[in-house]
Amino acid sequence: MLKLYNTLTKKKEEFAPLHKGKVAIYTCGPTVYDFAHIGNLRAYTASDVLRRYLEYLGYEVRQIKNITDVGHLTADDIAQADTGEDKMAKAARREKKTPEEIARFYENAFRRDEEAMNILPAHYFPRATAHIPQMIKIIETLIEKGHAYEKNGNVFYDVTSFPGYGKLSGNTLDNLKVGARLEEHPDKKHPWDFALWLKAPEEHILKYDSPWGVGYPGWHIECSAMSVEYLGDTLDIHTGGEDHIFPHHEAEIAQSEGATGKKFANFWFHNRFLLVDGEKMSKSKGNFYILKDITEKGFDPMHLRLFYLSSHYRKQADFSWPALEQAKTNYNRIAEWRGKLEDLSKSRQTDNSNRTLNVRVRYFESAMGDDLNTPLALSHLHELITETNKQISENSLTAEKAREILAVFEKMNTVFGLRFPEKEKEIPEEIKHLAEERLKARNNKNFQEADDLRQKIEESGFEIEDIEKGYKIRKK
Ligand code: AMP
Ligand code: ZN
């Protein structure tokens, strides 16, 4: 069972998918004009843990993560985010490249960062630039249904036409504060209307033909177009960071529900921000980190992943180097423990231990089932480590029990998603020596001796595989 906090209803609700056994997740992906920062990576790790836990529960998950490579304008601190220069075009100027080169470069960098963080790849990463016709089609439908209007080649969503506007963020038209930063466009009927399509000035690089002339899409429309294309009218879960609640997700609801007449997403999952030393990350303060800054200081991406897991996704987390150092210590503790269990489980001892481990699994599931409480789940894991380490030091942990605990941990770890290095480096000298002798015997066509040496190596708990230029040894 999984209870999830739903931003739409503002309470924890029991999760149930629309179609039995299957879950459709749409995750707002990166705007590929720069490297992802560690705040963005917190958001993608949070939705990864969500997906992993749903898979742990046996659901077949389909996750779509869009790549924003057009239409996200620089002034996204202004309420409706439909003014300023296109972020892609600006980066292209900065780096003296084409917007396409910028997009492909940072998209690849993003995919590498996700891989390094052990974030499961989405089943598809659709690009906004490849879905302009789908966006145009929805805009046409919205115009037909009276939710949008065109003026001078610009198309705006008429927020007064959609009674549900504000249901996600609480920013209903009555509540929207006059003081909020809002840049009024002369063609808008109402100040809170937002752009679906904007007329492109002559010098604008990323522009497309449309029924309203040459222009480019607003930022919000791409997600409505790509989610329906790959997941259908109604999503089980839509994810993103807290800054997306308004205006981005509020606009997505107005567009999608306005066009289809159906509920857009059953669950809205939002992570809160990552701060740095108690402050909001910003380039000007110099407290803005990307993954490379972390690894250059000698940390592994898994230390960052464990740092994320150590706080609840719905609480602000404060990044600091000592906090990352602590996560590293905790990671090493888990890795060392896991290594000891692996070694022990190879020995031949057996016993009839009772299965108290089931209790641990229940604790883990009740923590994760309560709105993905990873810090609590981790504290149960650390208790298990303390208990097992004591048994190991007292020599009272048998191979069978070690195997059992290891299996429980590996199952939990399908959700934590921590990666551990292979034990390749720990091949003892004597085994390496036997392997060298065996290679010599083989080269001299002394196959009986080679076979005997292989047997010796295997009896010591290692496997040897012949490859083109020699051999590979690994622990069994
Ligand atoms: P963007 O590329 O700006 O659309 O952001 C990508 C994702 O990162 C979105 O889900 C944002 O809500 C999220 N995000 C941005 N800044 C932070 C932060 N400081 N902490 C956590 N999530 C963030
Ligand atoms: Zn989106």
Side-chain angles (χ1 to χ4, degrees):
M1 173 160 112
L2 171 60
K3 279 197 163 186
L4 264 190
Y5 182 84
N6 188 350
T7 311
L8 187 64
T9 56
K10 288 160 196 62
K11 54 178 194 270
K12 280 190 219 172
E13 287 173 47
E14 191 172 333
F15 175 75
L18 205 57
H19 301 287
K20 197 164 176 274
K22 297 193 174 178
V23 184
I25 303 182
Y26 186 90
T27 297
C28 282
T31 305
V32 282
Y33 70 112
D34 209 339
F35 293 106
H37 60 59
I38 59 171
N40 303 139
L41 293 176
R42 183 188 196 207
Y44 300 119
T45 305
S47 56
D48 182 57
V49 171
L50 169 67
R51 165 171 165 192
R52 283 170 175 274
Y53 194 57
L54 289 163
E55 288 179 351
Y56 173 101
L57 293 176
Y59 290 109
E60 189 189 313
V61 179
R62 179 163 164 82
Q63 185 185 26
I64 298 295
K65 193 175 283 180
N66 65 299
I67 299 290
T68 301
D69 54 0
V70 66
H72 192 168
L73 304 184
T74 46
D76 59 6
D77 55 333
I78 292 175
Q80 296 300 41
D82 54 13
T83 55
E85 192 181 355
D86 190 291
K87 286 187 175 181
M88 300 305 305
K90 189 174 175 195
R93 253 210 345 258
R94 178 186 74 212
E95 299 190 18
K96 300 193 174 48
K97 290 186 183 151
T98 65
E100 289 76 12
E101 284 168 336
I102 293 288
R104 295 301 86 87
F105 177 83
Y106 287 112
E107 181 182 331
N108 288 338
F110 173 71
R111 296 291 301 273
R112 277 198 303 275
D113 282 353
E114 281 211 320
E115 212 279 318
M117 292 299 297
N118 211 16
I119 293 172
L120 296 173
H123 298 88
Y124 191 47
F125 291 86
R127 295 171 182 155
T129 45
H131 296 79
I132 304 290
Q134 288 89 333
M135 298 186 215
I136 290 177
K137 199 156 173 285
I138 298 187
I139 299 173
E140 285 179 317
T141 306
L142 289 170
I143 295 175
E144 263 165 46
K145 293 196 170 182
H147 288 300
Y149 57 92
E150 185 265 345
K151 196 168 175 203
N152 297 326
N154 297 300
V155 185
F156 292 100
Y157 192 99
D158 177 356
V159 288
T160 61
S161 75
F162 184 69
Y165 192 77
K167 65 182 171 185
L168 183 71
S169 61
N171 286 335
T172 55
L173 296 180
D174 293 340
N175 285 345
L176 277 168
K177 304 218 171 39
V178 184
R181 260 190 95 200
L182 184 69
E183 203 151 282
E184 291 205 32
H185 192 288
D187 294 335
K188 277 186 190 178
K189 281 192 200 159
H190 186 277
W192 293 102
D193 291 351
F194 59 88
L196 296 169
W197 189 264
L198 289 163
K199 184 187 165 111
E202 201 50 49
E203 69 284 4
H204 199 90
I205 320 174
L206 285 159
K207 52 191 170 189
Y208 306 86
D209 283 331
S210 82
W212 318 286
V214 178
Y216 59 97
W219 169 34
H220 317 302
I221 193 69
E222 63 169 273
C223 291
S224 289
M226 293 189 269
S227 59
V228 71
E229 175 91 359
Y230 298 102
L231 295 170
D233 290 342
T234 305
L235 308 167
D236 288 301
I237 310 175
H238 194 312
T239 81
E242 59 176 325
D243 57 328
H244 275 185
I245 299 172
F246 187 86
H248 187 50
H249 291 164
E250 197 67 70
E252 283 186 32
I253 293 179
Q255 294 165 163
S256 296
E257 298 192 358
T260 67
K262 294 186 197 143
K263 190 174 182 186
F264 178 43
N266 280 334
F267 281 81
W268 284 89
F269 175 94
H270 291 106
N271 63 279
R272 297 209 62 195
F273 264 165
L274 180 72
L275 308 179
V276 174
D277 294 323
E279 290 186 62
K280 196 165 186 278
M281 274 196 293
S282 84
K283 276 190 175 157
S284 56
K285 285 187 198 136
N287 63 356
F288 189 95
Y289 303 117
I290 62 172
L291 194 53
K292 194 159 151 265
D293 299 322
I294 305 291
T295 51
E296 273 178 1
K297 286 221 176 195
F299 289 98
D300 188 278
M302 288 302 103
H303 303 152
L304 184 61
R305 186 166 176 113
L306 189 58
F307 164 79
Y308 291 147
L309 296 172
S310 308
S311 55
H312 192 266
Y313 77 91
R314 224 154 36 75
K315 291 212 168 81
Q316 284 186 338
D318 196 4
F319 178 84
S320 66
W321 294 106
L324 190 60
E325 199 61 59
Q326 182 59 51
K328 178 179 175 179
T329 306
N330 293 344
Y331 174 84
N332 288 342
R333 182 172 193 251
I334 301 170
E336 217 174 281
W337 168 78
R338 183 178 167 274
K340 279 193 267 183
L341 286 179
E342 270 185 348
D343 292 345
L344 254 173
S345 64
K346 303 273 161 50
S347 69
R348 311 239 179 270
Q349 254 178 308
T350 53
D351 76 346
N352 300 315
S353 60
N354 54 4
R355 313 220 159 221
T356 50
L357 268 175
N358 289 342
V359 178
R360 298 288 177 189
V361 175
R362 255 184 279 133
Y363 285 165
F364 168 79
E365 289 177 359
S366 78
M368 291 306 296
D370 183 14
D371 197 25
L372 308 179
N373 195 339
T374 51
L376 185 59
L378 281 173
S379 79
H380 291 315
L381 172 65
H382 280 289
E383 275 169 31
L384 177 64
I385 295 178
T386 306
E387 183 188 290
T388 328
N389 278 343
K390 189 160 168 279
Q391 290 168 335
I392 294 173
S393 66
E394 288 166 354
N395 267 335
S396 65
L397 195 77
T398 62
E400 188 173 321
K401 189 81 183 170
R403 272 194 292 274
E404 234 181 82
I405 299 171
L406 200 55
V408 163
F409 172 70
E410 297 301 355
K411 178 102 197 287
M412 288 179 183
N413 197 36
T414 60
V415 180
F416 294 136
L418 294 169
R419 201 153 37 199
F420 297 97
E422 290 279 327
K423 286 198 151 190
E424 204 87 49
K425 291 183 208 90
E426 294 173 29
I427 310 290
E429 283 308 313
E430 59 185 274
I431 301 292
K432 286 188 200 157
H433 177 71
L434 289 176
E436 279 300 310
E437 289 298 305
R438 182 176 168 272
L439 183 65
K440 269 192 224 156
R442 262 178 41 127
N443 288 345
N444 295 333
K445 306 218 180 318
N446 197 345
F447 296 115
Q448 184 58 48
E449 190 187 343
D451 274 355
D452 292 347
L453 285 163
R454 173 196 286 273
Q455 202 178 336
K456 258 190 177 169
I457 293 169
E458 289 188 350
E459 278 168 9
S460 312
F462 294 86
E463 270 173 342
I464 185 157
E465 180 195 344
D466 294 319
I467 53 175
E468 208 186 329
K469 284 186 195 143
Y471 55 84
K472 248 179 161 174
I473 333 173
R474 80 176 76 81
K475 254 190 147 169
K476 275 208 256 186

